[in-house]
Amino acid sequence: MLKGLPSSICTCTKLLRLTMLLLVVSCCKTKGVIKLPPNVSIPAVLVFGDSIMDTGNNNNLVTIARCNFRPYGEDFHGGVPTGRFSNGKVPSDFAVEELGIKELLPAYLDPNLHPSELATGVNFASGGAGYDPMTAKLQPCIDLAGQLKLFKEYIGKLRRLVGKDRTKFILANSLVLVVLGSNDISNTYFLSGARQKEYDFPSYADLLVSLASNFFKELLGLGVRRIGVFSSPPVGCVPFQRTMAGGIERQCVEHYNDAVVLFNRKLQKGINSLNQHFPNGRIVYFDIYNPLLDIIVNSQKHGYEVSDRGCCGTGIIEVTYLCNHFGTTCPNVLDYVFWDSFHPTEGIYKSLVGPILQKYVYQFK
């Protein structure tokens, strides 16, 4: 009896820890809006991506791609700048909220991250990232290889917390969201011209799709089974790009958008091919390009007054450190499609995420 006692105590301790974890998780759940297919559960959301999804991973990096200062976050809880590239919540947050998992998706590198958050999802996205590793070198951030390294570390922590079987279940049933590509196209290819000597754009798009496909394969190899991949948005209509390449009238840069359409088409084709080779997993292409372009082009129909500049400062150039407390913000952010010269407002994100998830979630049966 005495010999078996330490093992029994150890087992009880593990059970108690797991019970407490489940209690914490259930207490933090929100009332989900998304209707899931029958017999489908999504215990967690895991996010990889760029500044659209980053909820604070860049806060302690030496990079210009940071925003943990006012006026960023002025409409977040208590007006706190958390490193979210918007005036409030970002798509990562709305994803977990709409699915009824929790209210916010924490950054994995948040020094105050509670272990109980691991079982319901965390965020590995880093502002400035892309599929192309060169993109992260132009604007230092956590590249895709770095985000994958953090994910592997996360898996190890999760196993120690909930055990091997529960970890396998969480990975297989979680919704993994990937939002990348816009920095590659707008910054690495067009603005900097860093890849133009090596590739014409169709060839560069092929490179991006190849890099993306390899990343998806890595995720599938680590036990993930549900991957939602967002298309690249209409980067030619982003206020900063209008200013830099849209002429004196700051029109949408059509050849940027044409390039995005080509990339998105190739990305969707690549995803379809992967699904044929990995029948045990499911990768779903999420179209964000068309819904966002419709809001920008027909902004007044959707209830917005301003779509060609951001709310912060003049709105035509300010982003990250140029959008700061020394400047002003617009009188009513609800009138604006964009918060700064790159990123939409919380209101735009909220209007897009729910319908997009509801549209595509049934493909994860």
Side-chain angles (χ1 to χ4, degrees):
M1 287 288 291
L2 290 175
K3 262 189 175 180
L5 187 60
S7 176
S8 301
I9 292 174
C10 182
T11 301
C12 289
T13 302
K14 287 182 178 179
L15 287 172
L16 180 61
R17 187 191 306 158
L18 182 57
T19 301
M20 292 300 292
L21 175 64
L22 291 173
L23 283 172
V24 171
V25 169
S26 63
C27 287
C28 296
K29 279 193 171 185
T30 60
K31 186 177 180 182
V33 178
I34 302 299
K35 185 179 179 182
L36 297 177
N39 302 317
V40 169
S41 65
I42 299 177
V45 171
L46 302 165
V47 169
F48 300 87
D50 54 27
S51 58
I52 296 295
M53 304 300 266
D54 190 353
T55 53
N57 283 313
N58 277 19
N59 287 352
N60 296 310
L61 299 184
V62 180
T63 177
I64 62 169
R66 284 175 56 177
C67 60
N68 54 335
F69 45 82
R70 298 296 300 273
Y72 286 97
E74 69 174 21
D75 296 305
F76 197 72
H77 297 174
V80 178
T82 60
R84 288 168 168 83
F85 290 76
S86 189
N87 59 305
K89 295 179 181 179
V90 294
S92 308
D93 301 312
F94 287 118
V96 288
E97 184 178 16
E98 293 284 339
L99 290 167
I101 296 172
K102 51 189 175 183
E103 186 182 1
L104 303 171
L105 190 69
Y108 178 69
L109 294 181
D110 183 347
N112 298 313
L113 180 70
H114 194 280
S116 64
E117 296 275 15
L118 299 179
T120 51
V122 288
N123 191 339
F124 305 98
S126 175
Y131 290 116
D132 184 350
M134 182 179 284
T135 300
K137 293 177 182 176
L138 294 176
Q139 189 168 263
C141 62
I142 308 169
D143 63 11
L144 210 48
Q147 293 184 35
L148 192 64
K149 183 179 179 181
L150 292 177
F151 179 54
K152 292 175 181 177
E153 180 183 285
Y154 158 83
I155 293 173
K157 289 182 179 180
L158 189 61
R159 280 183 184 142
R160 291 191 290 274
L161 186 69
V162 302
K164 186 177 179 180
D165 290 343
R166 181 64 185 173
T167 296
K168 186 177 180 180
F169 174 86
I170 290 172
L171 293 177
N173 290 280
S174 291
L175 178 58
V176 175
L177 298 177
V178 180
V179 177
L180 291 161
S182 59
N183 291 323
D184 299 313
I185 297 170
S186 64
N187 300 341
T188 304
Y189 194 81
F190 285 114
L191 282 183
S192 73
R195 287 293 197 184
Q196 290 188 17
K197 289 183 180 180
E198 300 172 79
Y199 304 95
D200 60 15
F201 188 79
S203 299
Y204 185 60
D206 288 335
L207 173 67
L208 294 180
V209 172
S210 176
L211 293 167
S213 296
N214 289 337
F215 176 63
F216 304 149
K217 290 176 188 176
E218 290 259 24
L219 291 178
L220 292 167
L222 291 168
V224 164
R225 292 294 176 264
R226 298 169 176 165
I227 306 174
V229 182
F230 282 75
S231 70
S232 183
V235 297
C237 292
V238 167
F240 184 89
Q241 309 300 352
R242 287 176 181 251
T243 302
M244 298 301 292
I248 193 168
E249 295 184 358
R250 298 183 62 253
Q251 298 294 316
C252 287
V253 188
E254 291 303 324
H255 68 283
Y256 283 19
N257 283 350
D258 290 343
V260 170
V261 170
L262 176 63
F263 165 71
N264 286 341
R265 191 182 306 127
K266 288 175 177 285
L267 178 64
Q268 189 170 20
K269 186 177 178 181
I271 288 171
N272 292 339
S273 177
L274 279 176
N275 280 324
Q276 292 177 7
H277 291 91
F278 293 89
N280 292 329
R282 184 65 180 165
I283 309 173
V284 178
Y285 173 87
F286 289 10
D287 173 31
I288 188 68
Y289 180 94
N290 288 298
L292 182 54
L293 182 64
D294 181 52
I295 290 174
I296 294 169
V297 174
N298 303 299
S299 54
Q300 293 194 358
K301 182 185 79 173
H302 292 278
Y304 300 98
E305 296 296 323
V306 184
S307 64
D308 65 346
R309 63 185 188 274
C311 175
C312 186
T314 65
I316 64 173
I317 200 76
E318 291 88 346
V319 63
T320 63
Y321 283 105
L322 293 179
C323 175
N324 56 56
H325 67 279
F326 293 109
T328 59
T329 55
C330 60
N332 185 6
V333 69
L334 297 178
D335 289 336
Y336 283 68
V337 173
F338 290 94
W339 162 247
D340 61 19
S341 66
F342 265 90
H343 306 97
T345 63
E346 177 188 63
I348 291 294
Y349 288 142
K350 183 176 178 62
S351 70
L352 288 172
V353 172
I356 285 175
L357 285 178
Q358 190 64 76
K359 179 178 179 179
Y360 295 105
V361 74
Y362 269 72
Q363 297 185 38
F364 290 109
K365 289 181 181 179

